[in-house]
Amino acid sequence: SAVISQKPSRDICQRGTSLTIQCQVDSQVTMMFWYRQQPGQSLTLIATANQGSEATYESGFVIDKFPISRPNLTFSTLTVSNMSPEDSSIYLCSVVSGSYSYNEQFFGPGTRLTVL
Amino acid sequence: GNSVTQMEGPVTLSEEAFLTINCTYTATGYPSLFWYVQYPGEGLQLLLKATKADDKGSNKGFEATYRKETTSFHLEKGSVQVSDSAVYFCALSRNQFYFGTGTSLTVIP
């Protein structure tokens, strides 16, 4: 299993500012993922972050808006840039163990972001 | 493509009632199937999983059987408790994870 922590746990930000969310894992993992969970909705994958390479973004998400760093095998950051109220969501970091398809995905506790 | 369709909520049950949350999927090949639970104010936790047809996942009194013929993975529990109040997500894994929209369950004493 993997234990994941995220900072901050929640924040209230002003429109136009940026927030960087940190994700720390207690073991080395190859693939880390960032999800967005908008109020009352399911999870939407933002990007996959692999150590040593550029993050891979899903349709509808771009690097300028959500830059990601992955400096080592236990840590990643997601920045939400130039925020607007539509960015108010829970942002979740996750990792998978072992073979991608057959093992579970572990989630951090999430960062609850409110943009005013 | 790959997708998960989940029973819409919210669902409200009395304590000790029987629970079913329906989940059907569309996938190429043979995905793994999961149920995740999200308690208020917390992240997602794996509840149970099944990796091949006819497998039954079970945990904490919850069960779900991987039915290839009906492409379903319905979640069941024989007697729910107040502590089961949470949002439940069905998911499949096929190159990446795909999540259903979530079903909110409230159990009242």
Side-chain angles (χ1 to χ4, degrees):
Chain A
S1 66
V3 177
I4 304 171
S5 59
Q6 284 185 236
K7 290 182 183 179
S9 58
R10 59 179 62 230
D11 207 342
I12 301 173
C13 301
Q14 296 296 319
R15 180 195 299 259
T17 63
S18 298
L19 176 72
T20 296
I21 302 168
Q22 299 179 8
C23 176
Q24 180 75 53
V25 187
D26 70 342
S27 58
Q28 295 184 337
V29 294
T30 302
M31 302 173 77
M32 296 179 75
F33 305 89
W34 287 98
Y35 286 87
R36 181 174 72 184
Q37 184 181 17
Q38 292 179 303
Q41 298 191 26
S42 187
L43 283 73
T44 302
L45 181 64
I46 297 171
T48 302
N50 293 329
Q51 193 267 338
S53 63
E54 292 282 332
T56 303
Y57 289 83
E58 298 300 308
S59 176
F61 298 96
V62 295
I63 188 171
D64 289 347
K65 175 67 175 177
F66 296 101
I68 288 171
S69 77
R70 183 78 201 274
N72 58 53
L73 291 174
T74 64
F75 187 79
S76 178
T77 66
L78 170 76
T79 299
V80 186
S81 304
N82 189 24
M83 288 184 284
S84 66
E86 292 71 34
D87 293 319
S88 298
S89 291
I90 299 173
Y91 291 85
L92 294 156
C93 168
S94 76
V95 303
V96 294
S97 66
S99 170
Y100 182 87
S101 291
Y102 299 105
N103 288 277
E104 67 181 278
Q105 198 168 24
F106 300 92
F107 287 87
T111 296
R112 188 177 297 270
L113 171 62
T114 302
V115 183
L116 303 178
Chain B
N2 302 306
S3 65
V4 174
T5 301
Q6 196 174 332
M7 171 176 145
E8 290 199 16
V11 174
T12 302
L13 295 174
S14 297
E15 206 164 24
E16 299 183 2
F18 184 86
L19 168 71
T20 299
I21 301 177
N22 290 336
C23 172
T24 57
Y25 68 91
T26 302
T28 55
Y30 303 96
S32 294
L33 301 174
F34 305 81
W35 277 100
Y36 281 83
V37 59
Q38 185 176 34
Y39 297 104
E42 299 184 16
L44 274 72
Q45 303 172 26
L46 179 69
L47 181 59
L48 53 84
K49 68 179 181 183
T51 59
K52 61 182 187 296
D54 300 325
D55 268 2
K56 177 186 284 188
S58 61
N59 186 24
K60 300 181 181 179
F62 291 89
E63 293 183 342
T65 301
Y66 189 144
R67 301 284 188 200
K68 187 169 180 291
E69 63 276 12
T70 55
T71 61
S72 65
F73 193 56
H74 304 321
L75 182 68
E76 297 181 335
K77 186 174 186 182
S79 176
V80 293
Q81 306 300 312
V82 172
S83 57
D84 294 326
S85 297
V87 180
Y88 294 82
F89 292 92
C90 185
L92 73 83
S93 171
R94 182 68 184 163
N95 298 320
Q96 71 177 61
F97 275 76
Y98 300 84
F99 288 86
T101 52
T103 302
S104 175
L105 169 67
T106 301
V107 180
I108 55 178

